[in-house]
Amino acid sequence: MQSVLITGGAGFIGQNLVHAWRAARPDDRLVVVDAMTYAANVRSLEPLMKEGSIVFVRGDIKDAALIRRLFDKHQFTRVAHLAAESHVDRSIVDPEAFLQTNVLGTFTLLKAALDAWRASGTIDRARFLHVSTDEVYGSLGPSDTAFLESSPYRPNSPYAASKAASDHLVRSFVATYAMPALITNCSNNYGPYQHPEKLIPLMIIHALEGKPLPVYGDGSNVRDWLHVSDHCDALMSVIERGRVGETYNVGGGNERNNRDVVGLICDTLNSAFAADQNLASRFPSCPAALAKSCRSLIAFVTDRPGHDHRYAIDATKLATELGSRCSVGFEAGLRQTIHWYLDQEAWWRDVTSGAYQAWIDKNYGFRIAV
Ligand code: NAD
Ligand code: DAU
């Protein structure tokens, strides 16, 4: 039995990881700490809190005293560190929070874990998993080979730079203090509970509401799509069986350009409406309600500054060392995700109100159709 701290457990990947961990390892004690920023949502965790199968703490990873108290009380033997500011566009508009949380927050957590594990003499059986991104490796050209764990760091956005800095801090703690840490660098996740500021949920929801689908630039940018359930499986394998001090890349093996992803979302929605007459009355503004193609909403808009052209992950190390491989194909995973958003209208209506709307105005207000 392990005592596990999951930071950022109310975020998109965090919520999925809490559920996956609870199901896979029912005897572990799970404590979630999350600052509850705009990106957080605890609805899916509430049943687990009520039945007492997780402990939820609203708190900031930069709060050293709080993190020390949590270590004293729960004697963690595992830390899965996911708390971060995670949206590239926000990091361009307002980078400071990214440095605060992603760099200083990671440092605070590392230091608290190291001090606690040294003091309790448990460092030999403890593990700290730092969840990072493929964006630290920069951008690939069309015929470049996929990122390896040994690829040089070339971050291009303030978000990517802050994650790169946090990776370097983790690495330095391993080398300098024998911190039992591991790093994963993964590609673009998609699936249930993703905040609608990110490409896939944003396009699904805009299409349902009959709003333009804003594709940055010419839509030729390529991402390697990883279903969040495959990512969570990989994280649990790495924290238990990965080699301390090592980095593991996690990828979906699903490279698609944004034009194709948005086109596939549109076509999948049209098929869903054709198969279920109720959808037309629930979402009357969607072109599919009038049997028109959702593709009619696609609008090419001003590009993201410093927009990385392509990410692709070589996950051979994860597969050969730990036997962890992706099992969700992109078309099937996308269909499941679209149906999740169709079924969870109350969830995303809640998320897309208020503060989220203010962000949409700020990020898209200046973008003009090109
Ligand atoms: P998210 O933005 O959905 O969730 C982040 C969570 O962290 C939120 O619940 C937020 O409230 C919390 N948080 C932010 N600042 C905090 C602070 N100072 N203290 C405590 N909690 C704080 O992000 P996500 O998509 O779930 O990503 C999780 C992690 O995975 C991040 O570290 C991100 O960099 C990494 N990652 C994400 C992806 C992806 O495609 N989503 C891909 C690669 C890596
Ligand atoms: O690669 C891993 C990274 O993936 C994670 O580290 C980040 O936390 C996560 O947000 C994601 O970053 P991206 O910038 O790739 O994801 P995003 O969903 O913001 O954008 C995906 C692609 O879609 C990207 O090429 C930009 C484009 N895009 C995005 C939005 C929001 C659009 O064309 N239009 C949009 O409105």
Side-chain angles (χ1 to χ4, degrees), residues 175-338:
T176 307
Y177 308 116
M179 178 79 177
L182 306 98
I183 300 175
T184 51
N185 294 89
C186 78
S187 58
N188 287 60
N189 283 222
Y190 69 104
Y193 304 113
Q194 186 165 33
H195 194 282
E197 67 188 351
K198 305 285 168 65
L199 180 77
I200 288 180
L202 183 136
M203 295 297 170
I204 297 170
I205 291 168
H206 276 213
L208 290 175
E209 296 191 322
K211 293 180 183 164
L213 308 182
V215 176
Y216 297 166
D218 64 2
S220 64
N221 305 70
V222 173
R223 298 293 183 262
D224 175 0
W225 292 98
L226 170 67
H227 194 273
V228 66
S229 61
D230 280 332
H231 185 204
C232 291
D233 288 348
L235 295 179
M236 290 189 289
S237 298
V238 170
I239 200 168
E240 281 314 318
R241 297 185 288 112
R243 284 181 294 138
V244 163
E246 292 291 318
T247 290
Y248 294 87
N249 279 352
V250 190
N254 291 307
E255 282 189 61
R256 298 283 188 290
N257 71 40
N258 295 336
R259 258 193 328 259
D260 291 347
V261 171
V262 176
L264 191 55
I265 291 170
C266 290
D267 297 348
T268 309
L269 280 172
N270 277 101
S271 304
F273 274 66
D276 179 354
Q277 303 304 318
N278 291 326
L279 291 176
S281 52
R282 284 178 55 206
F283 303 106
S285 304
C286 180
L290 302 171
K292 287 196 341 211
S293 172
C294 293
R295 286 178 183 251
S296 59
L297 296 173
I298 293 175
F300 292 93
V301 299
T302 315
D303 209 351
R304 173 187 279 176
H307 196 174
D308 285 336
H309 184 68
R310 173 177 165 239
Y311 306 139
I313 281 281
D314 184 331
T316 308
K317 180 174 173 183
L318 181 73
T320 51
E321 277 192 24
L322 306 180
S324 180
R325 287 181 182 79
C326 281
S327 62
V328 183
F330 186 61
E331 279 71 13
L334 188 64
R335 212 176 313 115
Q336 180 244 47
T337 302
I338 288 172

Side-chain angles (χ1 to χ4, degrees), residues 15-234:
Q15 288 176 72
N16 281 281
L17 182 64
V18 170
H19 288 291
W21 200 305
R22 190 66 298 153
R25 298 177 196 166
D27 294 336
D28 287 354
R29 183 211 314 255
L30 292 188
V31 178
V32 171
V33 68
D34 198 296
M36 295 301 294
T37 69
Y38 77 94
N41 197 306
V42 284
R43 273 203 187 162
S44 84
L45 304 183
E46 277 164 3
L48 300 182
M49 291 182 219
K50 283 201 185 108
E51 71 192 29
S53 64
I54 66 166
V55 174
F56 179 81
V57 179
R58 181 175 189 168
D60 195 314
I61 56 164
K62 300 191 298 296
D63 182 344
L66 168 74
I67 302 295
R68 264 199 312 273
R69 278 201 307 279
L70 290 178
F71 268 89
D72 284 347
K73 180 165 180 193
H74 298 287
Q75 301 289 310
F76 299 120
T77 49
R78 299 284 179 270
V79 176
H81 174 35
L82 292 91
E85 290 292 336
S86 70
H87 189 35
V88 172
D89 289 322
R90 283 180 192 265
S91 84
I92 293 166
V93 173
D94 190 4
E96 180 157 346
F98 289 72
L99 299 185
Q100 292 290 341
T101 286
N102 300 0
V103 185
L104 291 177
T106 299
F107 169 76
T108 305
L109 198 64
L110 279 167
K111 174 92 170 51
L114 181 67
D115 290 347
W117 289 337
R118 278 180 165 175
S120 61
T122 55
I123 198 158
D124 289 343
R125 54 189 182 87
R127 296 283 182 106
F128 184 109
L129 174 63
H130 175 63
V131 178
S132 189
T133 171
D134 58 2
E135 301 204 10
V136 298
Y137 302 126
S139 180
L140 293 169
S143 53
D144 289 339
T145 53
F147 297 128
L148 286 164
E149 288 81 358
S150 55
S151 295
Y153 272 40
R154 292 200 176 98
N156 289 318
S157 70
Y159 162 71
S162 69
K163 292 297 288 188
S166 66
D167 291 9
H168 291 321
L169 276 171
V170 175
R171 183 187 158 83
S172 76
F173 268 62
V174 172
T176 307
Y177 308 116
M179 178 79 177
L182 306 98
I183 300 175
T184 51
N185 294 89
C186 78
S187 58
N188 287 60
N189 283 222
Y190 69 104
Y193 304 113
Q194 186 165 33
H195 194 282
E197 67 188 351
K198 305 285 168 65
L199 180 77
I200 288 180
L202 183 136
M203 295 297 170
I204 297 170
I205 291 168
H206 276 213
L208 290 175
E209 296 191 322
K211 293 180 183 164
L213 308 182
V215 176
Y216 297 166
D218 64 2
S220 64
N221 305 70
V222 173
R223 298 293 183 262
D224 175 0
W225 292 98
L226 170 67
H227 194 273
V228 66
S229 61
D230 280 332
H231 185 204
C232 291
D233 288 348

